[in-house]
Amino acid sequence: MDRIEFIVSSLKLPDSYSFLNLALLRRSSWKGIALLMALFLIGGSVPRSLPTRAQIIKSAVDLPDFNFFAWELNALGSAVFGDESPLKDGLEEDAQVGLVRAYFERATLISEKEVELDGLVSEEATATTGDAESETVQVTDQAKQWEGPAGDYTSVPGRGMMIEEARLELAGLRRRQSADRSLVEAILQNQIREEIREADLGLLGFVWPPVQFAFIEPPLKLTVSPRDRISTLHSRVLQADYDPVTLEESEHTIEAHTGLSAHISQIGGMAVFPAMVVESSSLKWVLETVAHEWAHHYLFLFPLGLRYASSDEATTINETVAEIVGVEIGERVWRRLYDTSAPSADPAAGSNDDMPCACSTADLWALTYEMEQSRWERYGRPLAFDFRREMRETRLHVDRLLKAGHVETAETYMEGRRRYFVAQGYPLRVLNQAYFAFNGNYGTGAASSNPIGPMLEQLREESDSLAHFFGQVRWFTSMADLEKALQANGE
């Protein structure tokens, strides 16, 4: 008796079930096995669970994720197996300052030469295609001398030679910049480390973690927010490849597929180790950014840094603390070594101690605006455009509209404000909920509307020193800790 016969006989079925004969059972068994095998083999075509929101967003972005593992391997390899410190032979402080100044002056020249070259190439393309609108093209001062009586730039002799000369000059500047880069990085690291030590921000008298950064083009940051409120639902770091057209297409695709708000932005630095910092022509900004990223490295050793991404609140506290520390340390280095302007006779002249108390961020900014407006009205002139004031006003109004449930009205308002900023010389590509979700993490910034920024600034003002402030906030885990610290100071 085979296995199937044994099973049927053991069931002791009544005669009424005689239709379950062995032949039918055998055929049914083999059909069942064949069906299971077929389903297994074509499993790829069987409907699976719906893709997650993260998968939808990732598939909508053309750029791959930034490879942090490869970056760290390369950076650590250079630190361990690379050449000795470029400062090993020693340089006098004046010589170091001179090298840094020359480096950033060259960065400015590179930026200007890039603009000039873009203009020459644009003019050449217009002339080659015979664009009917070529008469409206703005030419560089070098090209203007060749302008014909009818504004015809197609007859400019030697434009190709001008382009080639600009390219060669730009390449030479970049080679010199590359040759000096590691030395300038080492000098700035030492200068910032010394200021951190003087401020007593290290551990047991040592500056730890060490100040380490590299000039690179940092990756891009994708932020996704709900449309009915400003909050970070999803974020990812993308490979550095800034192309406004591609980024805008990715943002629109995400919004169409998820119904959320998306924004992809360039960032000034990242607190990986070594920190990534944009090679800007602004030395003061670089000093502040390097110190800002070091503050993040330090905080990762304490509860505040460990809870960085646990909530929007924790992220904002982290970023605001790093901003306060970074700006103060960068400012100290700048004043000690690079600022050539005359020092102020009264350091407290710019303080706002006499300003009436404001209980919220909205009250504070409204009060500031009113004071400035009244000051300008005395002279019969409108208040001059101020990006921080206008952006803060925009954020506060958007918050009010979203809280009232007027999502589409808020989006229409933001687009109108974006065009206004562009008209004022601030070329914002996107202004939406995701823009505010990303930029609002910096509590002292214009795009923030929560009270964390003013509260932390108040705590810094009430602290005996920057070290005292930093020593307090590193143990914070929530806004409640910040409120307790302020309350304790007031007692």
Side-chain angles (χ1 to χ4, degrees), residues 222-269:
L222 164 66
T223 304
V224 179
S225 168
R227 292 177 58 208
D228 61 352
R229 68 185 188 280
I230 294 172
S231 176
T232 301
L233 281 182
H234 177 93
S235 67
R236 64 188 326 113
V237 183
L238 308 174
Q239 182 175 297
D241 187 9
Y242 187 78
D243 176 7
V245 175
T246 302
L247 301 189
E248 194 168 82
E249 290 174 351
S250 296
E251 291 165 347
H252 290 166
T253 302
I254 292 171
E255 291 168 352
H257 289 176
T258 65
L260 300 171
S261 173
H263 175 55
I264 303 175
S265 57
Q266 292 177 304
I267 51 180

Side-chain angles (χ1 to χ4, degrees), residues 356-373:
C357 176
C359 301
S360 69
T361 306
D363 293 339
L364 177 63
W365 280 87
L367 178 60
T368 303
Y369 180 87
E370 290 171 4
M371 291 176 67
E372 293 184 8
Q373 182 68 59

Side-chain angles (χ1 to χ4, degrees), residues 14-63:
D15 294 340
S16 59
Y17 288 85
S18 59
F19 62 87
L20 285 175
N21 58 61
L22 292 179
L24 178 60
L25 190 56
R26 285 194 179 95
R27 285 197 300 272
S28 299
S29 299
W30 286 114
K31 286 180 181 178
I33 293 172
L35 179 60
L36 289 174
M37 290 181 65
L39 290 173
F40 175 77
L41 292 173
I42 64 173
S45 63
V46 176
R48 298 177 178 177
S49 60
L50 294 175
T52 65
R53 181 173 61 203
Q55 291 171 330
I56 294 173
I57 293 171
K58 185 174 183 178
S59 65
V61 180
D62 290 335
L63 292 175

Side-chain angles (χ1 to χ4, degrees), residues 89-395:
D89 296 329
L91 280 174
E92 295 294 331
E93 186 175 88
D94 289 345
Q96 294 183 25
V97 169
L99 282 169
V100 171
R101 287 189 186 280
Y103 187 88
F104 281 86
E105 288 170 1
R106 195 181 305 127
T108 301
L109 288 175
I110 288 173
S111 178
E112 293 172 351
K113 187 59 62 175
E114 288 174 341
V115 172
E116 177 187 334
L117 181 58
D118 287 343
L120 288 169
V121 171
S122 176
E123 293 161 16
E124 180 68 9
T126 301
T128 302
T129 57
D131 192 335
E133 296 180 356
S134 62
E135 295 181 4
T136 64
V137 175
Q138 294 183 352
V139 297
T140 63
D141 291 338
Q142 287 179 294
K144 280 185 177 180
Q145 59 184 310
W146 301 107
E147 179 179 350
D152 181 10
Y153 300 109
T154 62
S155 61
V156 175
R159 194 198 306 273
M161 184 178 297
M162 293 166 62
I163 292 175
E164 188 60 27
E165 289 176 355
R167 290 181 62 195
L168 291 174
E169 186 176 351
L170 184 58
L173 289 170
R174 284 173 172 164
R175 281 194 299 270
R176 292 168 60 191
Q177 203 76 335
S178 178
D180 291 346
R181 183 169 292 118
S182 61
L183 177 57
V184 170
E185 289 171 351
I187 291 172
L188 295 178
Q189 286 167 180
N190 282 351
Q191 292 172 346
I192 293 169
R193 180 171 61 247
E194 183 60 28
E195 204 60 53
I196 291 172
R197 182 183 291 110
E198 287 292 324
D200 197 24
L201 299 187
L203 294 172
L204 301 176
F206 296 95
V207 176
W208 189 264
V211 180
Q212 291 283 338
F213 82 98
F215 281 128
I216 70 161
E217 183 181 0
L220 304 171
K221 180 70 174 291
L222 164 66
T223 304
V224 179
S225 168
R227 292 177 58 208
D228 61 352
R229 68 185 188 280
I230 294 172
S231 176
T232 301
L233 281 182
H234 177 93
S235 67
R236 64 188 326 113
V237 183
L238 308 174
Q239 182 175 297
D241 187 9
Y242 187 78
D243 176 7
V245 175
T246 302
L247 301 189
E248 194 168 82
E249 290 174 351
S250 296
E251 291 165 347
H252 290 166
T253 302
I254 292 171
E255 291 168 352
H257 289 176
T258 65
L260 300 171
S261 173
H263 175 55
I264 303 175
S265 57
Q266 292 177 304
I267 51 180
M270 287 201 69
V272 292
F273 191 84
M276 303 175 185
V277 176
V278 172
E279 186 165 356
S280 167
S281 58
S282 171
L283 171 56
K284 189 169 183 290
W285 180 88
V286 168
L287 291 170
E288 293 174 357
T289 302
V290 174
H292 175 114
E293 302 306 337
W294 175 84
H296 279 306
H297 293 162
Y298 178 90
L299 289 173
F300 288 143
L301 303 174
F302 296 91
L304 179 59
L306 292 173
R307 293 180 59 84
Y308 179 90
S310 61
S311 66
D312 288 346
E313 180 182 283
T315 301
T316 300
I317 295 175
N318 268 276
E319 290 293 351
T320 306
V321 168
E323 188 71 6
I324 290 172
V325 173
V327 167
E328 190 159 338
I329 292 296
E331 182 74 19
R332 292 182 185 187
V333 177
W334 171 259
R335 288 181 178 177
R336 179 169 61 89
L337 298 171
Y338 298 103
D339 189 7
T340 58
S341 63
S344 172
D346 181 8
S351 68
N352 57 357
D353 293 340
D354 296 332
M355 181 179 290
C357 176
C359 301
S360 69
T361 306
D363 293 339
L364 177 63
W365 280 87
L367 178 60
T368 303
Y369 180 87
E370 290 171 4
M371 291 176 67
E372 293 184 8
Q373 182 68 59
S374 62
R375 191 177 299 125
W376 278 86
E377 285 177 350
R378 294 175 193 170
Y379 302 96
R381 296 197 301 268
L383 186 63
F385 179 83
D386 182 298
F387 178 82
R388 282 180 57 84
R389 183 188 65 244
E390 297 287 348
M391 182 57 75
R392 183 61 63 93
E393 179 184 314
T394 302
R395 171 64 193 267

Side-chain angles (χ1 to χ4, degrees), residues 384-435:
F385 179 83
D386 182 298
F387 178 82
R388 282 180 57 84
R389 183 188 65 244
E390 297 287 348
M391 182 57 75
R392 183 61 63 93
E393 179 184 314
T394 302
R395 171 64 193 267
L396 294 173
H397 190 56
V398 168
D399 284 344
R400 287 192 290 268
L401 289 172
L402 293 179
K403 188 175 182 179
H406 304 311
V407 176
E408 293 183 358
T409 302
E411 292 172 341
T412 301
Y413 169 73
M414 283 187 282
E415 175 58 20
R417 294 292 286 176
R418 185 193 69 80
R419 296 182 182 184
Y420 171 66
F421 285 120
V422 171
Q424 297 297 326
Y426 293 83
L428 295 183
R429 188 178 58 80
V430 173
L431 185 60
N432 58 11
Q433 296 91 329
Y435 172 94

